[in-house]
Amino acid sequence: QVQLVESGGRLVQAGGSLRLSCAASGLLFNSYGWFRQAPGKEREFVAAITWNGGITYYGDSVKGRFTISRDNAKNTVYLQMNSLKPEDTAVYYCAAGPGGGRPSGYNDWGQGTQVTVSS
């Protein structure tokens, strides 16, 4: 089992940037994903990265604005978010597992970090 702790979420103005971090125990050989969930909405895929960082993929709503990366030496996965929009407001979750763009592709989840983008 992988334990995940997200950090970095806060209130930011539209057009601003944030970097979320996900500290993991037992990092190797997992893919990692970021998902988000706004009130009353389903959990949405944001981005994912393979265990060696060689492949990344993104949800359509964040392509060109968000970047996922990982530092295996620090056991940490990052989500750099630029050009933030009010519709990016959500709780952001880090997940670990086989990978893919669906929540069912991940076995372990963090508690989430709140990102709020004001207009």
Side-chain angles (χ1 to χ4, degrees):
Q1 186 175 2
V2 179
Q3 295 184 330
L4 305 167
V5 179
E6 304 96 332
S7 62
R10 63 175 175 86
L11 174 65
V12 63
Q13 288 190 332
S17 297
L18 278 179
R19 189 177 78 161
L20 304 183
S21 298
C22 173
S25 62
L27 188 67
L28 294 180
F29 306 119
N30 274 311
S31 289
Y32 286 79
W34 285 96
F35 289 77
R36 66 186 183 186
Q37 190 165 18
K41 295 187 176 182
E42 293 186 352
R43 194 162 292 193
E44 177 189 12
F45 172 69
V46 176
I49 189 167
T50 54
W51 74 270
N52 64 354
I55 299 174
T56 58
Y57 42 104
Y58 299 90
D60 289 341
S61 61
V62 306
K63 283 180 182 176
R65 299 188 298 124
F66 291 11
T67 302
I68 189 171
S69 62
R70 64 192 291 167
D71 185 338
N72 287 353
K74 295 183 178 180
N75 288 0
T76 302
V77 179
Y78 304 99
L79 184 68
Q80 178 66 43
M81 306 187 295
N82 299 328
S83 302
L84 283 162
K85 306 174 181 179
E87 51 263 44
D88 293 319
T89 296
V91 177
Y92 283 71
Y93 297 91
C94 179
R102 298 182 178 183
S104 59
Y106 299 86
N107 304 316
D108 298 294
W109 293 81
Q111 293 301 306
T113 185
Q114 176 71 49
V115 172
T116 303
V117 184
S118 64
S119 57

